[in-house]
Amino acid sequence: MLTALTRFSVVLLTLPLFAWAQSESAPEASEPERVGAASQLLNVALSLLLILALIFALAWLLRRFGQGGFGQRGDMKIVATLPLGTRERLLVVDVGGQQLLLGATPQQIRTLHVFETPVIDTSDTAHPADFKQKLMAIMQHKNSGGR
């Protein structure tokens, strides 16, 4: 799959060069060529398909290397996230085997709770719904036991 993606990116990068070379080598015509509506529509459709293919290729790359996969370290990782709004979220971060519940906003990141025992098993990939259920259970347990 990576070789097909590499070929696709090479084609995308060399396409403008071919278009430029073709426009430079085309002889000057005394009369402007008439371009039909069908050829313009075909040109727009092919451009749209090329852009959509590029978007899908980038989405695949982000999904493949998601959550900082390019520079992610083994001893510190994001275990789960829960969006609370458009820019606010809760994060469970595993640092050296200890899990922290963090609240993240665009202005700051705060430690909300430090778990003595891990809440989410990091050996398998947990689903986001599991995180939501576990967090709700912890919050209900804290509210019922603490008051």
Side-chain angles (χ1 to χ4, degrees):
M1 184 70 181
L2 187 60
T3 59
L5 185 62
T6 305
R7 287 186 211 142
F8 179 70
S9 62
V10 168
V11 168
L12 283 179
L13 292 174
T14 57
L15 197 59
L17 293 175
F18 287 126
W20 176 75
Q22 187 178 16
S23 67
E24 290 293 322
S25 66
E28 293 287 327
S30 59
E31 253 180 60
E33 292 183 25
R34 295 194 180 259
V35 179
S39 66
Q40 285 182 348
L41 184 62
L42 180 65
N43 191 12
V44 168
L46 288 176
S47 299
L48 180 62
L49 286 175
L50 183 67
I51 290 170
L52 288 174
L54 182 64
I55 289 171
F56 282 116
L58 290 174
W60 178 81
L61 281 173
L62 283 175
R63 194 175 338 118
R64 175 101 166 110
F65 299 109
Q67 287 194 359
F70 291 109
Q72 188 172 3
R73 296 181 46 137
D75 56 349
M76 187 168 78
K77 59 185 170 184
I78 298 173
V79 177
T81 62
L82 177 68
L84 299 175
T86 56
R87 301 171 74 185
E88 298 84 18
R89 63 183 61 240
L90 287 176
L91 303 158
V92 175
V93 180
D94 185 71
V95 180
Q98 186 174 20
Q99 292 184 353
L100 307 161
L101 179 64
L102 304 176
T105 66
Q107 292 81 21
Q108 64 185 349
I109 299 174
R110 284 199 173 172
T111 303
L112 301 176
H113 187 72
V114 178
F115 298 106
E116 284 86 27
T117 60
V119 179
I120 299 174
D121 186 19
T122 59
S123 62
D124 61 343
T125 58
H127 300 288
D130 294 340
F131 171 67
K132 183 178 177 181
Q133 292 170 355
K134 289 181 181 181
L135 182 62
M136 292 301 287
I138 290 170
M139 290 174 62
Q140 289 173 356
H141 177 70
K142 185 176 179 181
N143 288 341
S144 64
R147 292 185 183 168

